[in-house]
Structures are given as C-alpha cells and as structure tokens.
Amino acid sequence: ESFASPTMARLQAEFAKAFPKASWTSYEAVSDENIYAGIEGVTGNKLQPVYNYGKASVILALDSDFLHMESDNVTASRGFADGRRMKDENDTMNRLYVVETMFTLTGGMADHRLRMQSRQIGAFTVALAKALGVDTMGINADTSVLDEKANAWITVVAKDLMNNKSKSLIVAGRRQPAAVH
C-alpha cells in the first residue's frame, strides 16, 4: 500500500539502489485516486477536494455514499445535516439527488433517487454536462444507454442546478473513473 513514512521512503530508495531493475508497486483496494486523477485532468494539479455540504442548496451524488463510505464522511454528514436544519417554517433545506448503483445510506436520505448501473453513470454525467452547457473536455459516452426516466431526471436536475448555480455541489464516488470526476 502507499505510505508517507520517511523510514519506508528510505528503505524504498535503498531497495532501488540495490536492485535497479526492480519496480516498486503500490496498490490500494480502497483509494481516492480516481478523484485526484479527475481533478488533475482538469486543473493540471494534484489536489484534494474539500466539499462544503452545509452551504449547498442542491447536492447531486453520482454513485457517492458521502454520508457513510466516502472519505471525510463525518464532516460531510455534519454539513449535510446543517443544510437540512430549519429554524422556522420559512427556512428552506437542501435538496439531495442521488444516482447510485445500489441502495446506500446517502440514497436513503435522498429527496430524489435514481438507480442506475455503474457503467451508465459516465453517460449520465456527460448528458448532464451537455444539459448544463458545460464542456465535456472531449470525454464522450454513449448516452443512448440512458432510458427515458434517466433523460427526464437529467432535465429536472440540470434545471435545479442552474437555478442554484453558486449553491450547488456535485460529487462522484471513488468507484467512478477519473472522467466522471
């Protein structure tokens, strides 16, 4: 697995010196590398996203169980709950749209939930980006795999996101490829 230990870095360097033809390979079964690769593909920098769920009026989770299984789920849960808290009958609370492959805690909290195969989420994302007028940066997906229900969903979600431009948050789960992020 990957490491940040100075001792392991020293041992890796010594190993590489002793065995110059060997390769050192790291593998993480659960990792945020797709998130980082997606951000790097857009910005050119290796950055870690910091989401503020408490300030979002509209949240779209693309195969992201941010309330339970994603990184920083405790902070996400707190922010999401803050966005749901109403002080009086005139307050509004955030809306949560979830597109997911299986039922999750986040999906259980959703105001609107769409079940979809994992392989279709990329097509959903491309179709949504086009509906929002966002450059897909050359990423193509066969949007014909989306059914009528998914296309209707895209229309509604895109409208809500556009109506809340500066107060919207879209998050993709770690299982989704970098292109979705």
Side-chain angles (χ1 to χ4, degrees):
E1 60 191 36
S2 62
F3 58 87
S5 163
T7 301
M8 281 298 291
R10 181 181 52 77
L11 291 173
Q12 181 184 18
E14 289 176 12
F15 181 83
K17 186 187 275 186
F19 303 99
K21 292 184 180 180
S23 67
W24 185 287
T25 305
S26 297
Y27 173 75
E28 298 276 344
V30 177
S31 167
D32 288 343
E33 67 185 313
N34 290 337
I35 298 168
Y36 304 141
I39 292 172
E40 185 176 16
V42 173
T43 66
N45 297 311
K46 293 184 180 195
L47 302 170
Q48 180 174 1
V50 177
Y51 305 115
N52 192 334
Y53 292 90
K55 290 188 177 180
S57 294
V58 176
I59 302 166
L60 170 60
L62 300 168
D63 201 23
S64 172
D65 187 12
F66 67 84
L67 294 175
H68 182 62
M69 296 299 293
E70 300 291 335
S71 299
D72 205 23
N73 62 336
V74 174
T75 304
S77 295
R78 176 62 186 253
F80 177 73
D82 287 346
R84 291 275 164 149
R85 197 166 285 116
M86 296 175 56
K87 295 178 181 127
D88 61 51
E89 66 275 358
N90 296 320
D91 276 353
T92 58
M93 62 182 196
N94 61 25
R95 279 177 307 291
L96 174 60
Y97 295 88
V98 175
V99 178
E100 63 184 2
T101 60
M102 61 186 164
F103 192 73
T104 65
L105 181 64
T106 303
M109 293 296 296
D111 300 298
H112 308 280
R113 179 183 177 269
L114 178 65
R115 191 181 150 275
M116 180 175 287
Q117 294 176 1
S118 184
R119 65 182 177 86
Q120 295 175 311
I121 293 178
F124 181 93
T125 305
V126 167
L128 178 64
K130 288 178 180 177
L132 292 170
V134 175
D135 181 10
T136 60
M137 298 172 44
I139 297 169
N140 291 316
D142 181 11
T143 56
S144 68
V145 300
L146 301 174
D147 62 15
E148 194 175 304
K149 184 177 181 180
N151 286 313
W153 234 74
I154 288 167
T155 302
V156 171
V157 172
K159 183 178 178 183
D160 206 0
L161 290 168
M162 290 299 287
N163 288 338
N164 291 279
K165 271 187 184 177
S166 63
K167 298 181 204 170
S168 295
L169 177 60
I170 301 173
V171 295
R174 66 167 56 117
R175 292 179 303 223
Q176 289 299 311
V180 171
H181 291 274

